Amino acid sequence: PLSVSRAELIKAAKASDLALEFEGLAQENGKDMASIARRSATDWTLKVTAKSGHSSGIFNESVGYGAAYELARIVDGFRREAREVNATFNVGYMASGVSASANATDTGAVASGKTNIIPAEAIARGDLRTLSNAQTESIRAKMRAVVAQPLAGAEASIAFEDGYPAMAPSEASRKLLVTLNEVNRDLGLEAMPELDPLKRGAGDIGFVGDIVPGLIGFGAAGEGAHAPGETMELKSLDRQTKRAALFMSRMAKP
């Protein structure tokens, strides 16, 4: 569990002044970029149950609208009412029918039904990515509010599964970037602009982002991350090693 596997990381952060993440170096148009923030990554599961019956009775107040229309209402309600700047929530898969449930590997859903039967069950799974942990709670509250207004004959619930917290941008982290760019100058390297955090996924530094400031991306440059054929630019290790060594040396001085 993340609470166990990241416990030592959090413990170390509480005894530290800053955090450096040695994940891949971000580049744009061949230019090295610095990262001071990462978005979160959490999952959500939406489940709907509704009155079933013959399709000719749908929209009748005594029967209601069925699980499929309620699922569609909620998902579209998220799009209309829960969006915020720098945040995204994706629907990975959704299904509805007389019965509907996630498959054993959580890579999709299994549903069954007939065209003339009102769906009794529906399910949708997706993720939520935010720029701060406060924003995570804000959007979760908005999503819960949408769920809490069911169509006639339906009931719905949403559950959130904690994953990677966000590391919000901060002035303390920007000050670290100022020092890193002083290092770049002394090494004869170009200054590194701040990367848009929407262009970077979640990472372990998010678990300590509310404890210490930090910088992200001291690893090697490369292309095709998380895909077959991913490459590493070996020459980038030379400048990255020099950057890290000189930066840590300077930050270690009183």
Side-chain angles (χ1 to χ4, degrees):
L2 291 174
S3 60
V4 176
S5 62
R6 304 304 189 273
E8 289 300 316
L9 181 68
I10 294 169
K11 180 181 177 181
K14 292 179 178 178
S16 302
D17 297 315
L18 60 100
L20 304 181
E21 188 170 65
F22 284 76
E23 204 175 80
L25 169 66
Q27 294 181 309
E28 285 191 342
N29 301 317
K31 187 178 183 65
D32 292 353
M33 304 291 290
S35 299
I36 66 166
R38 304 197 72 147
R39 292 199 299 167
S40 66
T42 62
D43 292 339
W44 53 266
T45 301
L46 174 64
K47 293 183 178 180
V48 178
T49 58
K51 293 180 180 179
S52 188
H54 195 275
S55 62
S56 62
I58 199 164
F59 306 148
N60 187 304
E61 286 299 319
S62 63
V63 177
Y65 292 82
Y69 279 116
E70 173 64 356
L71 182 69
R73 178 199 71 81
I74 293 172
V75 170
D76 190 53
F78 292 166
R79 178 187 63 84
R80 291 184 289 106
E81 301 178 29
R83 292 177 66 183
E84 293 185 9
V85 175
N86 294 322
T88 57
F89 34 84
N90 178 60
V91 184
Y93 66 78
M94 54 197 298
S96 180
V98 173
S99 65
S101 60
N103 64 22
T105 57
D106 194 26
T107 55
V110 178
S112 63
K114 292 179 66 181
T115 59
N116 64 342
I117 300 296
I118 297 171
E121 296 181 354
I123 184 172
R125 289 266 289 147
D127 75 354
L128 168 63
R129 296 174 184 268
T130 61
L131 192 54
S132 71
N133 297 323
Q135 187 178 51
T136 299
E137 294 307 314
S138 172
I139 293 181
R140 285 182 179 185
K142 292 178 180 179
M143 294 173 79
R144 289 189 183 104
V146 172
V147 172
Q149 304 174 52
L151 295 172
E155 294 182 356
S157 64
I158 189 168
F160 296 94
E161 180 182 342
D162 289 333
Y164 285 71
M167 179 181 178
S170 68
E171 288 309 308
S173 292
R174 286 196 173 95
K175 288 181 180 179
L176 296 180
L177 177 54
V178 170
T179 301
L180 179 60
N181 276 327
E182 291 173 354
V183 167
N184 284 325
R185 178 199 63 204
D186 294 344
L187 290 172
L189 300 172
E190 291 186 42
M192 299 169 71
E194 187 178 316
L195 182 74
D196 182 348
L198 271 67
K199 296 181 179 179
R200 187 135 215 166
D204 284 331
I205 200 170
F207 287 94
V208 301
D210 285 345
I211 302 174
V212 289
L215 294 173
I216 300 148
F218 279 91
E223 296 181 352
H226 306 306
E230 180 177 358
T231 62
M232 177 192 294
E233 182 193 335
L234 293 178
K235 290 182 179 180
S236 67
L237 287 171
D238 180 60
R239 63 181 184 277
Q240 285 289 75
T241 302
K242 292 176 181 177
R243 275 177 179 142
L246 188 53
F247 179 82
M248 288 189 287
S249 176
R250 292 186 179 181
M251 295 305 299
K253 293 180 182 178

